[in-house]
Amino acid sequence: MNSTTDLLILASFLFLLHFARIIAQTTIKAGLIGEIILGAIYGAPLANILHSEWQSTLTALGYLGLILIVFEGALSTNLSLLFRNLGLSILCALTGVLLPIGLSILLLSAGFGYTVLASFAAGAALSATSLGTTFAVLQTNHGEGNNALFRTRIAVVLLSAAMIDDVIALIMASVIESIEDGTESHRSLGWAIGRPILASFAMSILILVLGFFMMRLPRQLKTYINKLWTTSLLRRYRKRTEFIILFFTLTSISAGAAYAGTSVLYGAFLAGLLLTYVIPVHLPQRPTSPSDDPMDRWTNILDVFNSYLLPLQSRLLSPLFFASIGFSIPLRQMFTTHVLWRGFVYALLMAFAKAAVGVWVALWHQISSYTKRKRNGSGEVKASVESPPEIEQRVESGTQIDLTTNNAPDRIVDKQALDAMASVTTAKGMRSWFLPASFLGSGMVARGEIGLLIAQIAYSNGQGILPTDLFLISLWALVLNTIVGPIIVSMVLSRWGVTLMDTDWGLGSAGISNTR
């Protein structure tokens, strides 16, 4: 094959990648599905048009896109909401890990006859939520550069729970890898389990201390930075300087996280949170007002990201990431009757296991409402539709009621009208928790890169703890959940997105507060 043909193939792939997203976004409101399908067509699963070296290179570039997706989401996160809802996020994350593993052991071991260890490995692969897919769906459904959805309470819970899920999944990947090596000692296995936990905790504490220190610099150091920042050279190249600082913050913290033993994605998330804390993204800057704080002279950090990295991420790197998922799916081996029906059953069960996480929103909402009623007193919080005892008696008889007492306007209301008013009030009450619960549950369904990684580690080309047929069944569950999850999230947002934003779980009562 000559170089001209090679370039034409690569150019056609990049060109069609853009149109595949447009078609999928227009038809099913989930553009990333088109990119995954095109990756499967051009990659090893189907036509294998791209050379294997190209697929490896494009996969590496796609992973850079994933890092930028996570980083952008962290830059857009409302930190006050993150810390206020951390307990709920942990509950959601633990449910999203334990329920898939438990149901996997129940179905695969008790139902299909696989070993408990193999069932655990499959459940571990299905316990990881695709953080990149979740970020991409929220970004696509709220427009490029529009990050209001990331700052809603329910989105913060979803993203932080997905991040915790991924950290736990990486720990389980290390455990599975250690179990497969028969020479590993108990001490090595313990270190494989403890290292990601310790590294994640240590990185979190380190970033927290660093942010605290940067927000409380000594006055003399602030004065020196101010003078340096206002020099003619830095004023001339101000935005480029800010980009360099942003870039080195991202790369240093991400690399540090990887070398410490936790995820690069976790490092990218922490880097975004650090910049969000130090340089508030939710407040307008006032460069003309005198200030001793050098951070007041910064441009909005999201503007810097949008100017330098967003075009590259959204047009090239992010599509390559989702296409690389398509490279990894062995479609030709997955269409046997035995694998097919078991894969569909397993996929349905795993979708339920993640969607069930939304129940915590309903419970949390009811507990919060009950707490507010207790705090305000039983007599201060009343239903929206009330009637005195004499009106209730006349309602039962179906007669008309003249509500002219207690300064009420002159109107005639019958039993049907009161029932309608009560129905509206009940519907509003249900929307306040049902829509956020549906959004959270559907947002947790999508699997992706880490799930595929765990499945491949457990399979090890037929030499691991996952037998070939269970590996393919797990892939069916991963693929179907990765396809269906974004579609459901897109449907919820396109149909009820505005209503969701107005609830207590959106921007309705939380607002956009100062992240300092």
Side-chain angles (χ1 to χ4, degrees):
M1 185 178 291
N2 58 52
S3 60
T4 302
T5 306
D6 291 349
L7 290 176
L8 287 174
I9 290 174
L10 186 59
S12 68
F13 173 72
L14 297 176
F15 178 78
L16 292 176
L17 202 58
H18 177 67
F19 281 95
R21 167 171 279 274
I22 293 176
I23 293 171
Q25 184 63 33
T26 303
T27 54
I28 59 177
K29 303 295 183 184
L32 57 92
I33 303 302
E35 295 162 351
I36 293 175
I37 293 173
L38 189 72
I41 294 173
Y42 268 76
L46 293 177
N48 201 22
I49 301 173
L50 294 170
H51 296 311
S52 59
E53 298 85 359
W54 290 1
Q55 293 181 42
S56 299
T57 302
L58 295 176
T59 298
L61 290 173
Y63 200 75
L64 290 178
L66 174 61
I67 292 172
L68 291 181
I69 290 173
V70 174
F71 182 61
E72 182 193 5
L75 288 177
S76 307
T77 300
N78 188 325
L79 284 179
S80 63
L81 286 179
L82 176 64
F83 289 117
R84 285 209 308 265
N85 294 278
L86 189 59
L88 176 59
S89 299
I90 293 173
L91 282 176
C92 292
L94 292 177
T95 304
V97 170
L98 297 177
L99 196 56
I101 292 176
L103 292 179
S104 294
I105 294 174
L106 186 64
L107 174 69
L108 300 177
S109 180
F112 293 162
Y114 296 102
T115 64
V116 174
L117 185 59
S119 303
F120 167 79
L126 270 297
S127 68
T129 302
S130 178
L131 190 64
T133 303
T134 304
F135 274 118
V137 171
L138 298 188
Q139 183 186 70
T140 301
N141 283 275
H142 234 68
E144 186 178 298
N146 185 344
N147 304 93
L149 185 59
F150 286 101
R151 298 193 293 274
T152 59
R153 181 185 179 191
I154 191 63
V156 168
V157 172
L158 169 61
L159 296 176
S160 52
M163 176 59 72
I164 297 170
D165 269 6
D166 280 2
V167 172
I168 297 175
L170 289 169
I171 294 170
M172 288 189 289
S174 301
V175 172
I176 292 171
E177 202 168 15
S178 299
I179 290 174
E180 287 184 340
D181 189 350
T183 63
E184 288 284 344
S185 65
H186 291 295
R187 179 175 299 178
S188 298
L189 180 59
W191 178 240
I193 297 173
R195 183 186 178 188
I197 299 175
L198 182 62
S200 300
F201 181 76
M203 287 295 297
S204 301
I205 297 299
L206 178 64
I207 296 303
L208 188 64
V209 172
L210 182 61
F212 183 83
F213 171 75
M214 292 179 69
M215 292 302 295
R216 290 160 178 80
L217 293 175
R219 186 176 183 84
Q220 291 180 345
L221 185 56
K222 283 185 179 182
T223 304
Y224 175 76
I225 295 176
N226 261 324
K227 291 179 179 178
L228 182 66
W229 199 249
T230 54
T231 58
S232 58
L233 181 63
L234 287 184
R235 280 205 309 267
R236 184 178 179 183
Y237 299 105
R238 174 177 174 175
K239 208 163 189 178
R240 294 179 184 178
T241 305
E242 292 170 348
F243 167 69
I244 292 173
I245 294 174
L246 180 148
F247 179 79
F248 276 103
T249 302
L250 170 62
T251 53
S252 59
I253 295 178
S254 298
Y259 285 121
T262 185
S263 169
V264 174
L265 301 182
Y266 187 62
F269 191 73
L270 290 178
L273 293 182
L274 176 64
L275 291 175
T276 302
Y277 180 70
V278 175
I279 308 163
V281 297
H282 307 311
L283 296 179
Q285 301 299 305
R286 299 182 297 277
T288 57
S289 9
S291 172
D292 291 333
D293 191 348
M295 298 309 169
D296 288 343
R297 300 179 181 274
W298 277 71
T299 308
N300 187 315
I301 196 65
L302 271 177
D303 289 344
V304 178
F305 180 89
N306 293 340
S307 298
Y308 287 94
L309 294 176
L310 184 61
L312 180 64
Q313 172 213 319
S314 60
R315 299 290 189 271
L316 180 63
L317 297 181
S318 176
L320 286 178
F321 164 68
F322 293 107
S324 69
I325 294 178
F327 294 161
S328 307
I329 303 172
L331 289 174
R332 294 182 181 181
Q333 306 172 36
M334 295 171 64
F335 286 92
T336 63
T337 305
H338 171 75
V339 170
L340 196 60
W341 77 265
R342 289 191 173 188
F344 272 92
V345 171
Y346 189 41
L348 286 174
L349 186 64
M350 291 299 97
F352 166 77
K354 283 291 189 179
V357 172
V359 172
W360 282 113
V361 172
L363 293 175
W364 203 269
H365 182 83
Q366 297 301 325
I367 292 172
S368 298
S369 300
Y370 176 76
T371 304
K372 286 180 181 178
R373 286 196 297 269
K374 293 290 288 183
R375 185 171 59 247
N376 295 336
S378 58
E380 297 181 17
V381 179
K382 301 181 181 180
S384 299
V385 179
E386 294 182 334
S387 59
E390 63 270 20
I391 294 181
E392 291 180 356
Q393 294 176 1
R394 296 179 65 181
V395 165
E396 293 297 327
S397 64
T399 58
Q400 292 185 336
I401 307 166
D402 184 8
L403 297 180
T404 57
T405 59
N406 298 328
N407 297 323
D410 293 337
R411 53 198 171 116
I412 304 297
V413 184
D414 57 16
K415 186 175 186 295
Q416 288 75 18
L418 285 176
D419 289 341
M421 293 167 64
S423 299
V424 169
T425 303
T426 303
K428 287 182 178 179
M430 286 190 63
R431 280 199 299 269
S432 64
W433 61 263
F434 181 75
L435 290 181
S438 301
F439 172 77
L440 177 63
S442 58
M444 295 287 288
V445 168
R447 273 60 162 201
E449 62 288 343
I450 295 181
L452 288 170
L453 173 66
I454 295 174
Q456 289 168 349
I457 289 173
Y459 179 56
S460 297
N461 294 320
Q463 305 300 316
I465 58 180
L466 269 187
T468 301
D469 57 341
L470 182 53
F471 171 67
L472 296 175
I473 290 169
S474 301
L475 288 183
W476 264 119
L478 286 166
V479 170
L480 291 177
N481 279 274
T482 302
I483 292 174
V484 171
I487 294 175
I488 298 175
V489 174
S490 299
M491 290 172 59
V492 171
L493 290 177
S494 61
R495 177 67 179 85
W496 296 292
V498 176
T499 306
L500 177 64
M501 296 283 282
D502 288 336
T503 65
D504 289 345
W505 295 88
L507 298 175
S509 65
I512 303 176
S513 59
N514 186 357
T515 57
R516 291 193 190 198

